[in-house]
């Protein structure tokens, strides 16, 4: 399983900085790693912030699946 540093390197090497879903994954991973040092309120607030940003992504990718995610065939 990747830690946040490995995930950040992967995003950088794969030019994923322009892929917002990868950046959200990185934020989630960092939050997971810092969970023990946060109060329950801080953790929930940060998780809600990440969720809100995820929901803003919407379905912008519909009709562009191959372009955005690559063809799986």
């Amino acid at each position: 399983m990747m830690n946040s540093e490995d995930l950040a390197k992967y995003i950088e090497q794969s030019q994923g900085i322009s892929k917002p879903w990868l950046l959200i994954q990185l934020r989630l991973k960092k939050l997971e790693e810092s969970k023990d040092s946060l109060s329950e309120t801080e953790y929930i607030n940060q998780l809600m912030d990440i969720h809100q940003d995820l929901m803003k992504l919407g379905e912008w990718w519909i009709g562009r699946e191959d372009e955005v995610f690559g063809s799986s065939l």
Side-chain angles (χ1 to χ4, degrees), residues 12 26 33 46-47 54 60:
E12 183 179 1
L26 179 59
E33 292 171 354
Q46 288 187 32
L47 187 58
L54 177 62
W60 58 269

Side-chain angles (χ1 to χ4, degrees), residues 9-23:
K9 287 178 186 175
Y10 168 77
I11 291 170
E12 183 179 1
Q13 291 172 354
S14 66
Q15 299 176 7
I17 198 77
S18 63
K19 298 175 180 174
W21 60 92
L22 290 177
L23 299 177

Side-chain angles (χ1 to χ4, degrees), residues 1 5 7 9-11 16 18-19 26 33 35 43 49 55-56 60 65 67 73:
M1 185 181 254
E5 193 172 309
L7 183 55
K9 287 178 186 175
Y10 168 77
I11 291 170
S18 63
K19 298 175 180 174
L26 179 59
E33 292 171 354
K35 183 177 182 180
Y43 177 80
D49 185 55
M55 294 298 101
K56 288 178 187 175
W60 58 269
E65 292 87 351
E67 173 192 346
L73 300 175

Side-chain angles (χ1 to χ4, degrees), residues 36-50:
D36 292 337
S37 66
L38 299 172
S39 71
E40 183 177 345
T41 301
E42 289 172 315
Y43 177 80
I44 290 171
N45 286 340
Q46 288 187 32
L47 187 58
M48 287 173 41
D49 185 55
I50 293 170

